[in-house]
Amino acid sequence: MSQMNRRDFAATLAAIGLSSGAEAFGQKKIEEPEVLRLSRNGWMPNNEFLPVLLYRSVLKSEGRDPAATFEQVFRRNGWPPQWRNGVYDFHHYHSTAHEVLGFVTGEALLMLGGENGHKVTVRAGDVSVLPTGTGHCRLHASEDFLVVGAYPPAQNWDICREAPSPEAQQRMRTLPFPNSDPVAGGSGALTRLWHQGGAGGTRTG
């Protein structure tokens, strides 16, 4: 591909909110995400092997359908989107899926890690990556709060509100995840911070 063709290609992708690299994020390098390491908290298992990742202001919420930008980026990076909605207002976790939350519009105060856990304010353009077992709950949100939820291929989320059974614990320990960061792809932080094998799950792809 010639240099001119690369520029044309980047311009075309930028027009729909995508890019093959940093152009999707305002012509600047994607900043490293905030990293939150959680351990068990009461009945909430959390995930002591895989950290929560929180990207700040990495996607633009513009146009008639800003959620589509999040969906396209997640899908391109191996995390197919499954829904548009919000975050439940009760403490829960997922034992059958890792989860990506793309915050499209509005803002909210979330609690991560279960009761008396970590309060996190999220705003439009932020993206969080929650490994299986991570407790999360909405404390309050603006009326225009909209979220896109995405997951690894073939993973369907459940809702758990009590301590995991031995079977669920084993499932979470070995639950696979793509060898790709949902925001930055193959060069993203997830590929360095989520480790393969053992109790940390298994990479796919």
Side-chain angles (χ1 to χ4, degrees):
M1 182 181 288
S2 69
Q3 183 65 33
M4 179 62 73
N5 284 339
R6 280 200 295 268
R7 286 199 296 267
D8 292 344
F9 182 60
T12 299
L13 289 176
I16 61 172
L18 292 174
S19 173
S20 58
E23 292 87 352
F25 309 93
Q27 300 291 332
K28 65 181 180 180
K29 180 181 177 182
I30 301 172
E31 297 294 332
E32 284 291 298
E34 298 173 17
V35 177
L36 182 60
R37 300 183 183 276
L38 302 174
S39 57
R40 190 179 184 98
N41 176 17
W43 60 267
M44 191 67 71
N46 293 312
N47 195 315
E48 61 184 88
F49 303 100
L50 305 178
V52 173
L53 307 180
L54 181 57
Y55 285 96
R56 296 293 192 179
S57 302
V58 289
L59 290 175
K60 295 180 180 179
S61 296
E62 298 177 340
R64 258 181 220 182
D65 187 12
T69 298
F70 289 74
E71 292 168 341
Q72 290 166 341
V73 170
F74 296 159
R75 185 179 295 110
R76 184 187 64 209
N77 289 325
W79 293 74
Q82 292 189 18
W83 53 263
R84 300 180 181 187
N85 206 320
V87 176
Y88 290 121
D89 62 356
F90 52 82
H91 293 284
H92 67 286
Y93 66 95
H94 308 303
S95 73
T96 56
H98 305 289
E99 183 173 55
V100 175
L101 300 178
F103 304 105
V104 181
T105 55
E107 65 179 65
L109 179 64
L110 307 181
M111 178 77 78
L112 301 182
E115 295 183 9
N116 300 312
H118 294 261
K119 291 182 180 179
V120 175
T121 298
V122 294
R123 299 181 175 87
D126 294 348
V127 174
S128 67
V129 188
L130 306 180
T132 182
T134 301
H136 49 297
C137 169
R138 170 176 53 82
L139 299 180
H140 60 75
S142 60
E143 291 186 0
D144 60 342
F145 185 55
L146 177 64
V147 183
V148 166
Y151 305 83
Q155 289 186 10
N156 296 307
W157 51 277
D158 58 358
I159 297 178
C160 301
R161 302 184 65 183
E162 60 185 15
S165 66
E167 293 78 13
Q169 293 179 44
Q170 176 61 24
R171 178 171 60 248
M172 290 189 289
R173 280 195 292 267
T174 58
L175 193 67
F177 53 87
N179 189 22
S180 177
D181 186 288
V183 172
S187 62
L190 181 144
T191 63
R192 302 189 307 273
L193 297 174
W194 284 25
H195 300 297
Q196 181 176 357
T202 302
R203 288 180 182 169
T204 60

